[in-house]
């Protein structure tokens, strides 16, 4: 990335035609550059956090009428001088206005460069900067809540506390090194062991939360399973209200796994339609069946469909027993209630099954309600911190390994210099999360995933 001394510019609203577009400038010259183009007021004399109406001149012609918002550093997103020019969102005006700022000395911003500057200028730490990207990408209430919490510093706060405690121990042990002749112990090994064990609990919790964090971000995986022709594809289509999966009355037609997402009460569910579960000689279908079993193990909930039309009582009982032996939570559903016989319906109902007709779309609302109950939403609603970023989880894992080495070191009474080294390693990894320790590659990698203008 380029030096932080120049002034950058980018379109900060989506491209295309619209009512208003915002062109953002950040850097020492932001206000002078905007002022050079602006007619109506001397922006260099404007107070911070004020709005000014005027026009943008291109030679003798008026390009557009705009509103300029002035933010003087450090009271701005990037902590630099920032000007936001709200113009009419015509691709022509936007392009011309960007070019005009460039002729006056601005440079087109790289992806994420505004946020990167905010980070480099100490506005927030790296975990918070990354949360900005998550916030923009959040598609549901839970993902939004988690990103907002992280952006406001929840996650980094916890990590910082761990670091401070460890730094204290590391310095004590390093102090012992200076007195190595005298056999003193400034840092009690028992206390250190206790601290490290205590640290590993929340760090492990954060690592585990990644799984849940991912669920928040990508949706709760729900597998729709059952014998061929039970109506799985029809149910998926009914839930999604579109013809997505292949529906046919030839058993075994959904051979692969089909996925789609749906939002119920602010929670995203990812529905996965699967190949029917049956013994088969067809090679391709057999692959589908084994993938179904894999999906069932990974899913948060199995929606298990019984074909009420075909199943005889004994077969139904067998299927239910098989389902009960699964580790994954499930919802038992009897489908084709519109044409089923009473005894099979009763059997399913007596096993807490829900009776629906996917084809006629009856009782689907009841299914949604049951689903919200079966999925364990407690974790999702809690104010707890979730890790949703794979970089964080891998750094947390490295931290944990270093901490484990500290414990092993204490137990096997390794020398202080090695012990101090392992503690420093753990500190290093924790610093990588919040950005106290960074490399250019790491920063480029993170910020290049942002869009231009952010
Ligand atoms: P899959 O193999 O489990 O995906 O089953 P499909 O969704 O392809 O459905 C198999 C057949 O059952 C199709 O002909 C559907 O129209 C029919 N079907 C599905 N749901 C119902 C229902 O609720 N009632 C009735 N009568 N037929 C249904």
């Amino acid at each position: 990335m380029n030096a932080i001394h120049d002034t950058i510019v980018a379109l900060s609203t989506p491209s295309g035609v619209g009512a208003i577009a915002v062109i953002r400038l950040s850097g020492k010259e932001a206000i002078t550059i905007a002022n050079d183009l602006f007619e109506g007021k001397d922006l260099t004399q404007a107070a911070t956090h004020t709005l000014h109406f005027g026009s943008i001149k291109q030679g003798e012609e008026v390009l557009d009428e705009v509103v300029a918002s002035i933010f003087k550093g450090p009271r701005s997103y990037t902590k630099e001088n920032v000007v936001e020019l709200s113009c009419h969102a015509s691709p022509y005006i936007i392009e011309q206005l960007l070019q005009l700022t460039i002729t006056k000395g601005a440079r087109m911003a790289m992806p994420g460069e505004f946020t990167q500057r905010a980070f480099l200028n100490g506005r927030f730490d790296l975990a918070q900067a990354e949360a900005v990207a998550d916030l923009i990408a959040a598609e549901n209430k839970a993902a939004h809540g988690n990103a907002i919490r992280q952006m406001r510093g929840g996650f980094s706060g916890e990590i910082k506390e761990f670091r401070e405690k460890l730094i204290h121990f590391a310095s004590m042990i390093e102090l012992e090194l200076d007195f190595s002749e005298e056999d003193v112990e400034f840092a009690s090994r028992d206390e250190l062991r206790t601290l490290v064990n205590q640290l590993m609990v929340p760090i492990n919790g954060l690592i585990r939360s990644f799984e849940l964090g991912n669920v928040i971000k990508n949706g709760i995986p729900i597998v729709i399973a059952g014998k061929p022709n039970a109506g799985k594809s029809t149910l998926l289509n009914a839930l999604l209200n579109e013809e997505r999966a292949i529906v046919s009355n030839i058993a075994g037609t959904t051979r692969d796994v089909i996925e789609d997402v749906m939002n119920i009460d602010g929670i995203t569910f990812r529905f996965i339609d699967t190949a029917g579960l049956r013994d088969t000689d067809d090679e391709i279908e057999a692959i589908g069946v084994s993938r179904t079993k894999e999906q069932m193990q990974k899913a948060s909930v199995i929606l298990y469909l019984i074909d009420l039309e075909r199943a005889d009582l004994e077969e139904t009982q067998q299927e239910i027993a098989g389902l009960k032996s699964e580790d994954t939570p499930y919802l038992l559903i009897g489908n084709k209630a519109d044409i089923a016989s009473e005894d099979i319906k009763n059997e399913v109902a007596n096993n807490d099954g829900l009776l629906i007709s996917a084809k006629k779309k009856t009782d689907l609302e009841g299914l949604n309600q049951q689903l919200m109950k079966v999925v364990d939403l407690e974790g999702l609603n809690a104010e707890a911190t979730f890790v949703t970023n794979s970089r964080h989880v891998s750094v947390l894992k490295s931290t944990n390994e270093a901490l484990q080495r500290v414990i092993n070191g204490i137990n096997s009474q390794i020398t202080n210099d090695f012990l101090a080294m392992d503690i420093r390693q753990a500190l290093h990894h924790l610093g990588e999360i919040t950005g106290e320790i960074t490399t250019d590659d790491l920063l480029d990698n993170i910020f290049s995933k942002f869009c231009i203008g952010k």
Side-chain angles (χ1 to χ4, degrees):
M1 291 252 173
N2 291 286
I4 199 161
H5 308 293
D6 49 4
T7 297
I8 52 174
V9 67
L11 173 67
S12 282
T13 42
S15 56
V17 178
I20 291 169
V22 174
I23 285 175
R24 176 156 62 171
L25 287 147
S26 177
K28 227 195 276 149
E29 305 301 325
I31 297 173
T32 21
I33 291 174
N35 191 55
D36 277 355
L37 304 169
F38 192 84
E39 210 157 80
K41 166 140 195 165
D42 182 359
L43 294 180
T44 61
Q45 299 305 311
T48 184
H49 291 75
T50 51
L51 300 178
H52 308 275
F53 174 75
S55 52
I56 298 288
K57 289 298 269 294
Q58 191 174 29
E60 289 309 302
E61 313 232 315
V62 173
L63 176 66
D64 196 9
E65 293 189 328
V66 302
V67 171
S69 321
I70 306 290
F71 304 90
K72 290 194 177 164
R75 289 183 57 205
S76 74
Y77 182 63
T78 56
K79 289 199 150 194
E80 303 172 334
N81 284 343
V82 168
V83 178
E84 290 180 3
L85 296 170
S86 306
C87 62
H88 292 97
S90 118
Y92 176 75
I93 292 176
I94 293 166
E95 187 52 39
Q96 294 300 310
L97 188 45
L98 284 172
Q99 287 307 325
L100 283 174
T101 63
I102 288 167
T103 57
K104 298 290 177 194
R107 157 176 77 72
M108 277 304 287
M110 316 274 278
E113 203 172 355
F114 291 93
T115 308
Q116 185 179 19
R117 287 190 170 195
F119 162 70
L120 291 173
N121 290 325
R123 188 176 202 284
F124 39 48
D125 65 36
L126 205 51
Q128 288 172 298
E130 286 172 295
V132 175
D134 282 349
L135 185 67
I136 296 170
E139 283 183 0
N140 61 55
K141 194 174 166 201
H144 165 263
N146 196 40
I148 276 278
R149 269 198 300 283
Q150 190 172 323
M151 192 180 79
R152 294 173 70 89
F155 183 82
S156 307
E158 284 183 38
I159 300 286
K160 276 198 182 124
E161 257 177 55
F162 299 156
R163 267 197 107 216
E164 273 154 32
K165 286 186 187 157
L166 261 189
I167 285 172
H168 174 71
F169 267 97
S171 21
M172 286 299 155
I173 288 175
E174 277 156 8
L175 199 61
E176 286 175 17
L177 286 173
D178 296 340
F179 292 86
S180 51
E181 306 290 296
E182 297 168 36
D183 196 24
V184 286
E185 197 177 273
F186 294 122
S188 148
R189 298 302 183 263
D190 284 342
E191 275 177 33
L192 177 60
R193 190 188 292 113
T194 311
L195 173 75
V196 171
N197 277 326
Q198 278 172 349
L199 287 186
M200 285 171 85
V201 174
I203 289 182
N204 271 324
L206 286 172
I207 293 172
R208 271 197 309 276
S209 79
F210 180 63
E211 216 170 286
L212 199 54
N214 243 353
V215 159
I216 293 177
K217 221 168 163 176
N218 302 326
I220 298 168
I222 310 278
V223 152
I224 307 181
K227 297 222 158 148
N229 257 339
K232 299 180 292 298
S233 308
T234 311
L235 177 63
L236 182 69
N237 288 337
L239 288 172
L240 300 169
N241 261 328
E242 58 187 89
E243 292 295 312
R244 209 32 216 283
I246 322 148
V247 181
S248 90
N249 53 11
I250 306 159
T253 41
T254 306
R255 292 195 163 175
D256 211 340
V257 174
I258 296 178
E259 284 196 28
D260 224 322
V261 292
M262 186 170 112
N263 212 299
I264 307 174
D265 285 351
I267 306 286
T268 302
F269 289 92
R270 195 152 46 82
F271 285 98
I272 303 150
D273 185 14
T274 59
L277 287 168
R278 64 166 184 178
D279 294 327
T280 173
D281 294 331
D282 180 319
E283 223 173 279
I284 298 173
E285 197 190 335
I287 295 171
V289 171
S290 81
R291 283 178 68 175
T292 301
K293 292 201 170 133
E294 222 172 86
Q295 293 282 353
M296 278 169 73
Q297 277 152 13
K298 279 196 277 180
S300 291
V301 177
I302 302 170
L303 281 191
Y304 193 91
L305 253 64
I306 298 237
D307 186 345
L308 293 176
E309 184 196 11
R310 298 226 181 128
D312 62 42
L313 195 54
E314 202 182 323
E315 196 184 328
T316 309
Q317 284 162 343
Q318 271 172 12
E319 278 190 82
I320 295 174
L323 184 62
K324 283 184 175 164
S325 68
E326 290 283 339
D327 290 332
T328 315
Y330 63 86
L331 253 186
L332 177 65
I333 296 163
N335 185 35
K336 310 192 190 178
D338 52 320
I339 50 173
S341 64
E342 288 306 315
D343 59 334
I344 305 274
K345 275 203 223 173
N346 288 339
E347 183 64 26
V348 173
N350 289 339
N351 281 287
D352 296 327
L354 202 70
L355 302 173
I356 65 159
S357 164
K359 196 172 177 177
K360 301 253 154 71
K361 300 191 182 178
T362 52
D363 249 336
L364 296 185
E365 189 48 39
L367 196 157
N368 284 350
Q369 282 168 11
Q370 289 281 334
L371 202 56
M372 293 294 280
K373 275 194 209 152
V374 178
V375 175
D376 175 20
L377 291 175
E378 268 172 37
L380 296 183
N381 292 332
E383 288 290 301
T385 308
F386 295 108
V387 177
T388 53
N389 184 303
S390 53
R391 186 181 77 81
H392 293 160
V393 86
S394 78
V395 177
L396 283 166
K397 281 181 181 160
S398 313
T399 311
N400 231 7
E401 281 159 20
L403 290 174
Q404 191 57 55
R405 281 198 298 277
V406 174
I407 299 265
N408 297 346
I410 299 171
N411 291 344
S412 60
Q413 300 184 332
I414 55 159
T415 53
N416 282 355
D417 44 351
F418 281 121
L419 190 58
M421 215 163 76
D422 287 336
I423 299 178
R424 288 281 165 206
Q425 271 282 312
L427 282 169
H428 174 88
H429 291 310
L430 285 175
E432 278 180 326
I433 297 181
T434 49
E436 271 135 343
I437 291 162
T438 53
T439 62
D440 284 350
D441 281 353
L442 175 71
L443 290 186
D444 281 358
N445 189 4
I446 289 169
F447 289 103
S448 61
K449 293 194 184 100
F450 278 67
C451 47
I452 291 181
K454 187 59 235 172

